Amino acid sequence: MCHRCCRIFAEGGNYKGEMRALYIGRFQPYHLGHHAVIKEIASKADEVIIVIGSAQRSHELENPFTAGERYLMISKSLRDNGISNFYIVPILDVNWNAVWVSHVESLMPPVDVVFTNNPLIARLFKERGYEVQAPLLFNRKEYSGSEIRRRMLNNESWEVLVPKAVAEVIKETNGISRMKTLARSDTE
Ligand code: ATP
Ligand code: MG
């Protein structure tokens, strides 16, 4: 028999109650794919815990934005949509898969269900007894952190792939200029 959370989400049911859901990402940057999934989870769960993974990483081509910048991107975008039933928890890497779930547990509120499309994260949480669900992917070809970072470096249109608040945070923090600096080497 499935857990209560599994039944409710599978049936597309709507409820408010005890259910706390976990969503994990690096959010480099937060984009419209993440946003669609979190809006959906927030409309069904009582609370959404959003873990910003690899929180210590920034100023790298694959991870250009700081945890604080990613925090702003997520919180402003959700608030712009009138969503307030979320908590954001930045979490550092431990580079030790067998203890990673305990590490996350030590830093976040207890949760009933984990939403992820990442096979390793799903596996690690399932092995610890969690209900894990894979959200639908939205326009994954374009709503993708890698694709957005590629466009940023190549002066292609990326703003259309992120919530308005994300484009504002990136502009305020000179994010594109930072990425272009990261792409340069000292031999140029
Ligand atoms: P990157 O290319 O940098 O890995 P990403 O787009 O995969 O970026 P992540 O922060 O790595 O974003 O992913 C967080 C979670 O969001 C993962 O479970 C990922 O599968 C999911 N996700 C990513 N893109 C989409 C999308 N377009 N629709 C729904 N979920 C998505
Ligand atoms: Mg990814």
Side-chain angles (χ1 to χ4, degrees):
M1 180 63 169
C2 220
H3 290 152
R4 182 170 64 103
C5 45
C6 182
R7 283 203 315 275
I8 291 163
F9 280 99
E11 289 163 11
N14 208 353
Y15 71 96
K16 292 281 171 188
E18 306 297 316
M19 186 61 55
R20 202 175 292 123
L22 175 65
Y23 189 69
I24 299 181
R26 285 175 22 261
F27 308 117
Q28 292 281 10
Y30 184 70
H31 58 61
L32 287 170
H34 303 135
H35 199 50
V37 170
I38 293 180
K39 281 194 292 185
E40 173 74 12
I41 299 171
S43 74
K44 291 182 176 158
D46 186 46
E47 293 174 328
V48 191
I49 311 302
I50 303 165
V51 161
I52 299 179
S54 301
Q56 83 285 3
R57 301 198 89 115
S58 73
H59 296 78
E60 301 168 348
L61 277 175
E62 298 289 298
N63 298 283
F65 306 112
T66 66
E69 289 161 350
R70 290 176 273 162
Y71 195 108
L72 280 181
M73 292 174 196
I74 300 167
S75 56
K76 282 175 181 270
S77 303
L78 291 173
R79 270 199 241 114
D80 282 351
N81 278 259
I83 296 168
S84 57
N85 57 334
F86 65 92
Y87 296 90
I88 301 176
V89 185
I91 292 189
L92 308 182
D93 289 330
V94 285
N95 296 317
W96 188 351
N97 288 338
V99 301
W100 182 73
V101 173
S102 321
H103 170 65
V104 174
E105 280 172 332
S106 75
L107 297 165
M108 70 174 190
V111 299
D112 307 286
V113 55
V114 179
F115 287 87
T116 183
N117 298 103
N118 179 303
L120 174 62
I121 292 179
R123 174 88 207 179
L124 294 173
F125 274 98
K126 274 184 194 159
E127 286 184 10
R128 299 276 301 188
Y130 282 87
E131 179 72 40
V132 175
Q133 301 222 6
L136 285 180
L137 291 168
F138 294 86
N139 185 13
R140 178 65 164 139
K141 256 184 146 169
E142 293 187 302
Y143 294 164
S144 141
S146 316
E147 170 63 11
I148 294 166
R149 295 192 300 276
R150 189 195 65 74
R151 290 186 183 202
M152 287 170 163
L153 281 177
N154 291 293
N155 301 317
E156 291 175 31
S157 152
W158 57 269
E159 288 96 332
V160 292
L161 306 180
V162 299
K164 197 165 142 274
V166 171
E168 285 166 6
V169 170
I170 290 172
K171 279 180 189 146
E172 271 165 31
T173 56
N174 290 314
I176 305 300
S177 153
R178 178 190 299 164
M179 289 196 64
K180 291 190 173 164
T181 305
L182 298 172
R184 282 169 39 200
S185 85
D186 62 0
T187 58
E188 284 169 26

